Amino acid sequence: MQYGHFDDEAREYVITTPRTPYPWINYLGNEDFFSLISHTGGGYCFYRDARFRRLLRYRYNNSPTDVGGRALYIRDGDDVWTPAWMPMKSELDSFECRHGLGTTKIRGSRNGVSAEMLYLVPLGETAEVCRLTLTNESSSVKTLKVFSLVEFCLWNAWDDQTNFQRNFSIGEVEIEGSAIYHVTEYRERRNHYAVFGVNSPIAGFDTDRETFLGLYNGLHEPEAVLEGAPRNSIASGWAPIGSHCLEVELAPGESRSFVFVLGYVENPVEDKWERPGVVNKEPARALMARFSETAQLEAAVAELRDHWSSLLEISTVESPDERLNRMVNTWNPYQCMVTFNMSRSASYFESGIGRGMGFRDSNQDLLGFVHLVPERARQRIIDIASTQFADGSAYHQYQPLTKRGNNDIGSGFNDDPLWLIIGVAAYIKETGDFDILSEEVPFDNDEANTATLFEHLRRSFHFTLENLGPHGLPLIGRADWNDCLNLNCFSETPDEPYQTTANREGRTAESIFIAGQFVYTTPDYADLAEYMGFAEEATAAREHSTQMEAAILEHGWDGEWFLRAYDFFGQKVGSHECEDGQIFIEPQGFCVMAGVGVDDGRALRALDSVAERLATPYGIVLNQPAFSRYHVELGEISSYPPGYKENAGIFCHNNPWVMIAETRVGRGDRAFDYYKRIAGAYLEKISDVHRTEPYVYSQMVAGRDAVREGEAKNSWLTGTAAWNYVAIAHHILGIRPEFDGLRVSPCIGAEIQNFTVSRRCRGAVYRIRVTNSLKHDGPLLKVNGETTKGTLVPYAPAGETVDIDCET
Ligand code: BGC
């Protein structure tokens, strides 16, 4: 069943009923200020850090779901309704939500009044702006009252929902004209506040939640609105809100627009006050002046549209399959931007307080983002590398506001360091900016202890080598990519976090995943070492990789597939000898991507085992059989009920590794088939089962052992976005930047016969026409009409256009 459709022209997903199977959200914002907004207007916004600088309050596990953040009420005579449907669940005559690239437009109508809210965060602004357009579609005059509502979060989102003995006494606001200022804690150490203004005189306002709603009322029954009378309340403690009341008279056919601005403002510490006790509002007034006319807002919308057009035209495909085109051209890169911005911090499944930027996650997010805004990728690399320790290990997460490693989580995830090499290599391939390797970057943010970025990579590489176990395979530490495979944890105590508890300091548990990752990383690392003039290091690295490959083949092969790990006791994990969890997806994907076993048939065997044992119609599950009981020696993975999350769920993030592996062995049909099983646009018709947004990937889909098979969770913030982009764009469509040229090597099987790709890279444009007749052994290329050898097209000077004909 479908709840809307794609509008490819407008690059929007159009939701046509408010009753979607789950709130379907969008992200507004570009660099510093971000909003989450659902199709019924729920959500919240924050400046840089969803934990420390949250503007709006949001209750995650609430019932009903998705109330809070913002609301807008219309009072038409005695009839009170909410055009976004929530929170009053008003019966609407029409409803539509258009989630676009950085914009969300929600329109509802009732009894001859239509209200359209267009939300965006304009480029360069730290504010969410909303244009409300009211239209009288009836034949009589309408006299309306409009009430806005936002509920302020007291900045620190964790404190906001835990420290009530303090919080109920600290809320403060100021009012000036039509602007409401949320200034809690400004009197002491904060030099920032929120402003909520509207470009029109108001008939009244409210800032105290209890006065506006009534103590025992929900957002669907606000007393002030039901009575049609704002109270002009001034919050003092308790729960500060912002609500304007506008009186609007509309002749038949008349429309009027208003612009609401919800902004974050920071003052220089020495300029905090206008006069004693009165907040300096100058920057807020200037912000609101920039949106005092609707034309200014429309210009901001146009600017944002152009911005996205110029980003998306960097890489486009035209194929006969419109679902493929819309994923590759629009929605997948869009999600990559969101994951780059958010890492795993704030979504409808990530509360914004638990996790900051992941070391591993953010490096992977770069892979799908780097072609969009390489300068931001560069900065991100420096930020991530600055949280690395001098021994090459890394903080697992850092806070975006402070850019400091997060001590609560600490380090010890032994795959982390290698991801830095993978991220940096992707950046350099895209940009040719080898100079980044010579940048001085601190360890653990200590400016007194710095080294070049290349030295950081060297330490990453050697960290793995210095931490090998009894079989010559890398020690897993707290966990590798699979955060939930905790082989040193041995937790029998509830409330003890699996990922930060190491009850045994073992140097025995080894990861075949990290081994595969090491072999995968080595060619790029060695090339970069050579580039830096460290030829011996390059040679040594390649030798280490050969040894690692040998160790995988000797100790990491189970007969039909690659093993997953050795546990603390040296027992096999992911072997046919095991009771549960006999085969895991991760090592099959990563070892084959690295080329292990490609020459001797083991790669094919491993991938066939994936097809036989792990592939399902909804995607490839993580392991089989699912763990049916808790295994103390394996940790969190076995804590999940069968079929969910890492215990035999379809953990979409690792599916593209198998797709890429399939292209490595030349099986494009299989790769593309797996692609279609998890790509949103192909799942639109089963939205009632899948439940999450059909325009983005979800982290997890319940596997075949689950009660709710096929149901997705954790949409938006997942490494699936970046890796699936890499799988489809780089390996299946087959166009990928390498250090010294653009690789053109499609592997898509028979279904897509012909397609064209336009790719901008290092300032030149490559127009690639693929005739996918599958007649030849490998792709044959003509570059600007000339037949060339191989599949690597040397980079052209910036400004040039290169025409490539590729026949397969
Ligand atoms: C984490 C990833 C991890 C994955 C698998 C995600 O929630 O963000 O870092 O690799 O789970 O455990």
Side-chain angles (χ1 to χ4, degrees):
M1 192 176 156
Q2 258 175 259
Y3 300 83
H5 56 267
F6 288 91
D7 179 342
D8 293 326
E9 192 58 31
R11 294 190 181 125
E12 289 171 337
Y13 192 81
V14 187
I15 300 165
T16 48
T17 165
R19 291 180 174 81
T20 52
Y22 206 69
W24 284 1
I25 73 163
N26 193 13
Y27 285 83
L28 315 177
N30 305 289
E31 293 202 30
D32 288 328
F33 189 97
F34 299 102
S35 297
L36 286 71
I37 182 163
S38 73
H39 69 295
T40 59
Y44 60 93
C45 49
F46 58 92
Y47 172 74
R48 285 197 182 160
D49 192 314
R51 172 167 182 170
F52 291 128
R53 292 287 184 278
R54 193 177 299 198
L55 275 80
L56 299 187
R57 183 175 284 163
Y58 189 80
R59 296 168 195 82
Y60 268 83
N61 48 9
N62 208 13
S63 181
T65 191
D66 197 29
V67 272
R70 0 171 155 68
L72 191 106
Y73 304 86
I74 294 179
R75 194 184 156 84
D76 175 6
D78 285 338
D79 183 37
V80 176
W81 60 288
T82 42
W85 189 59
M86 290 291 268
M88 295 187 78
K89 290 204 282 183
S90 317
E91 277 313 316
L92 300 173
D93 297 332
S94 67
F95 171 88
E96 185 182 88
C97 167
R98 289 179 164 262
H99 283 317
L101 308 181
T103 59
T104 285
K105 202 190 277 177
I106 307 172
R107 189 167 49 73
S109 68
R110 173 160 155 136
N111 290 340
V113 175
S114 127
E116 179 189 272
M117 286 93 75
L118 167 65
Y119 291 94
L120 74 152
V121 173
L123 287 167
E125 298 289 355
T126 58
E128 174 185 301
V129 177
C130 168
R131 181 193 65 195
L132 166 69
T133 305
L134 297 168
T135 306
N136 181 355
E137 292 170 343
S138 78
S139 50
S140 48
V141 172
K142 289 278 184 185
T143 307
L144 309 174
K145 280 188 182 167
V146 175
F147 291 80
S148 64
L149 175 66
V150 296
E151 182 175 351
F152 293 111
C153 174
L154 307 185
W155 299 114
N156 179 326
W158 172 246
D159 243 42
D160 186 63
Q161 48 185 279
T162 49
N163 194 4
F164 303 109
Q165 60 81 26
R166 169 178 164 85
N167 292 346
F168 286 169
S169 295
I170 61 174
E172 287 190 293
V173 294
E174 284 189 23
I175 315 288
E176 183 183 76
S178 300
I180 295 164
Y181 290 83
H182 175 229
V183 298
T184 299
E185 290 188 338
Y186 192 85
R187 62 171 56 249
E188 25 121 350
R189 294 159 299 171
R190 294 190 187 276
N191 59 328
H192 47 262
Y193 57 79
V195 59
F196 185 38
V198 58
N199 66 341
S200 158
I202 55 177
F205 62 86
D206 272 293
T207 66
D208 178 58
R209 189 181 75 186
E210 187 178 325
T211 313
F212 180 76
L213 292 179
L215 181 59
Y216 291 101
N217 289 11
L219 258 56
H220 62 289
E221 46 192 354
E223 272 175 14
V225 184
L226 295 177
E227 288 167 21
R231 302 351 191 177
N232 297 341
S233 58
I234 304 282
S236 177
W238 300 109
I241 60 163
S243 171
H244 310 96
C245 173
L246 304 172
E247 286 174 349
V248 190
E249 197 175 273
L250 294 174
E254 188 185 350
S255 273
R256 267 189 73 186
S257 292
F258 302 88
V259 182
F260 293 87
V261 175
L262 174 63
Y264 170 89
V265 175
E266 224 169 71
N267 278 326
V269 177
E270 59 290 356
D271 249 343
K272 275 179 68 167
W273 305 102
E274 218 150 77
R275 38 180 211 279
V278 178
V279 170
N280 173 5
K281 304 187 183 62
E282 218 25 68
R285 291 186 199 112
L287 163 67
M288 288 183 294
R290 291 198 288 281
F291 297 99
S292 58
E293 306 287 337
T294 34
Q296 294 162 302
L297 178 132
E298 273 135 32
V301 173
E303 202 190 347
L304 190 58
R305 194 180 312 118
D306 292 348
H307 172 74
W308 269 107
S309 295
S310 66
L311 293 181
L312 294 180
E313 78 190 19
I314 295 170
S315 176
T316 58
V317 61
E318 283 311 319
S319 82
D321 182 345
E322 62 176 13
R323 292 166 300 183
L324 173 66
N325 301 347
R326 63 172 68 112
M327 286 310 289
V328 177
N329 295 341
T330 305
W331 294 98
N332 195 172
Y334 184 57
Q335 189 178 0
C336 286
M337 170 71 88
V338 172
T339 55
F340 175 84
N341 285 333
M342 299 290 129
S343 193
R344 305 296 168 268
S345 66
S347 73
Y348 267 29
F349 301 86
E350 302 279 8
S351 66
I353 48 184
R355 310 210 265 174
M357 313 294 282
F359 192 97
R360 161 203 305 143
D361 295 330
S362 291
N363 273 306
Q364 289 176 86
D365 294 342
L366 286 171
L367 307 180
F369 170 83
V370 63
H371 66 290
L372 295 174
V373 195
E375 311 75 52
R376 291 188 67 203
R378 187 181 212 274
Q379 185 57 48
R380 177 62 53 79
I381 286 169
I382 304 294
D383 292 348
I384 297 172
S386 306
T387 66
Q388 188 176 27
F389 293 106
D391 71 352
S393 66
Y395 276 111
H396 197 46
Q397 285 161 14
Y398 70 95
Q399 279 308 126
L401 191 70
T402 59
K403 298 188 176 175
R404 302 259 153 185
N406 185 337
N407 275 319
D408 295 346
I409 309 288
S411 69
F413 297 77
N414 284 357
D415 63 319
D416 271 336
L418 290 174
W419 291 114
L420 182 64
I421 303 179
I422 296 174
V424 171
Y427 167 77
I428 297 177
K429 287 177 183 177
E430 182 67 43
T431 58
D433 175 17
F434 287 90
D435 290 351
I436 194 175
L437 295 170
S438 308
E439 286 273 318
E440 281 292 314
V441 181
F443 291 105
D444 193 10
N445 284 106
D446 175 3
E447 289 299 337
N449 184 12
T450 70
T452 63
L453 181 64
F454 180 77
E455 177 60 18
H456 280 255
L457 303 192
R458 198 189 67 76
R459 296 196 196 185
S460 292
F461 192 80
H462 287 271
F463 177 84
T464 310
L465 288 174
E466 280 150 25
N467 288 282
L468 298 179
H471 301 93
L473 296 163
L475 293 173
I476 198 167
R478 289 186 169 162
D480 59 22
W481 171 84
N482 190 333
D483 272 336
C484 300
L485 186 62
N486 315 118
L487 303 181
N488 292 304
C489 174
F490 290 88
S491 177
E492 295 195 274
T493 313
D495 307 326
E496 200 172 65
Y498 290 104
Q499 283 155 30
T500 52
T501 306
N503 285 325
R504 305 203 183 170
E505 281 302 328
R507 288 190 69 84
T508 43
E510 297 167 292
S511 161
I512 283 116
F513 170 83
I514 304 181
Q517 190 194 13
F518 181 83
V519 177
Y520 175 84
T521 309
T522 302
D524 286 345
Y525 173 68
D527 284 355
L528 293 176
E530 246 156 29
Y531 178 86
M532 294 299 284
F534 302 125
E536 279 174 29
E537 172 69 7
T539 309
R542 291 188 182 112
E543 277 162 17
H544 288 304
S545 180
T546 307
Q547 283 161 18
M548 189 70 82
E549 198 169 340
I552 297 176
L553 292 173
E554 191 179 343
H555 302 292
W557 179 250
D558 192 54
E560 301 279 306
W561 55 79
F562 293 101
L563 284 175
R564 179 64 178 85
Y566 284 94
D567 71 12
F568 179 85
F569 306 106
Q571 300 292 318
K572 292 174 182 171
V573 179
S575 157
H576 68 284
E577 295 163 22
C578 300
E579 169 197 336
D580 291 330
Q582 296 176 343
I583 171 171
F584 283 70
I585 189 173
E586 305 99 314
Q588 323 313 326
F590 242 91
C591 290
V592 179
M593 273 165 62
V596 182
V598 169
D599 294 337
D600 68 4
R602 286 194 242 196
L604 277 178
R605 190 62 227 123
L607 293 176
D608 285 344
S609 297
V610 169
E612 286 154 22
R613 289 165 189 263
L614 301 178
T616 80
Y618 298 113
I620 309 169
V621 300
L622 193 144
N623 58 294
Q624 280 291 292
F627 294 103
S628 51
R629 64 176 177 87
Y630 179 51
H631 291 255
V632 70
E633 75 286 6
L634 302 180
E636 186 171 5
I637 188 167
S638 60
S639 75
Y640 284 112
Y644 295 104
K645 298 280 282 181
E646 280 89 339
N647 185 13
I650 297 153
F651 213 93
C652 299
H653 183 149
N654 49 41
N655 280 221
W657 300 340
V658 175
M659 297 170 205
I660 298 169
E662 287 288 0
T663 65
R664 189 81 166 74
V665 298
R667 297 197 297 203
D669 281 317
R670 276 239 185 123
F672 191 48
D673 177 23
Y674 287 145
Y675 174 78
K676 289 186 294 182
R677 294 186 202 198
I678 64 164
Y682 295 86
L683 307 174
E684 206 185 0
K685 289 207 166 57
I686 57 157
S687 290
D688 47 332
V689 180
H690 197 68
R691 294 188 71 196
T692 51
E693 300 90 332
Y695 39 94
V696 291
Y697 291 99
S698 292
Q699 178 212 55
M700 198 259 326
V701 179
R704 63 173 162 227
D705 302 284
V707 175
R708 304 175 69 122
E709 184 185 3
E711 181 185 71
K713 291 197 187 98
N714 300 5
S715 53
W716 284 96
L717 302 187
T718 164
T720 318
W723 272 110
N724 238 48
Y725 188 79
V726 171
I728 188 71
H730 293 188
H731 296 275
I732 299 178
L733 297 171
I735 317 296
R736 59 180 176 272
E738 298 200 352
F739 289 127
D740 39 15
L742 192 69
R743 179 75 63 192
V744 178
S745 182
C747 185
I748 195 169
E751 190 177 326
I752 304 290
Q753 296 208 326
N754 302 322
F755 63 91
T756 58
V757 168
S758 168
R759 180 66 154 87
R760 202 161 72 219
C761 192
R762 306 193 189 185
V765 174
Y766 300 82
R767 294 191 305 211
I768 304 151
R769 202 169 59 217
V770 178
T771 312
N772 191 32
S773 52
L774 299 172
K775 282 196 306 230
H776 310 289
D777 229 7
L780 301 180
L781 300 195
K782 275 191 188 158
V783 179
N784 289 332
E786 307 254 324
T787 305
T788 42
K789 265 212 192 132
T791 55
L792 193 68
V793 180
Y795 288 119
E800 282 197 6
T801 299
V802 182
D803 282 304
I804 302 169
D805 278 296
C806 168
E807 212 177 285
T808 65

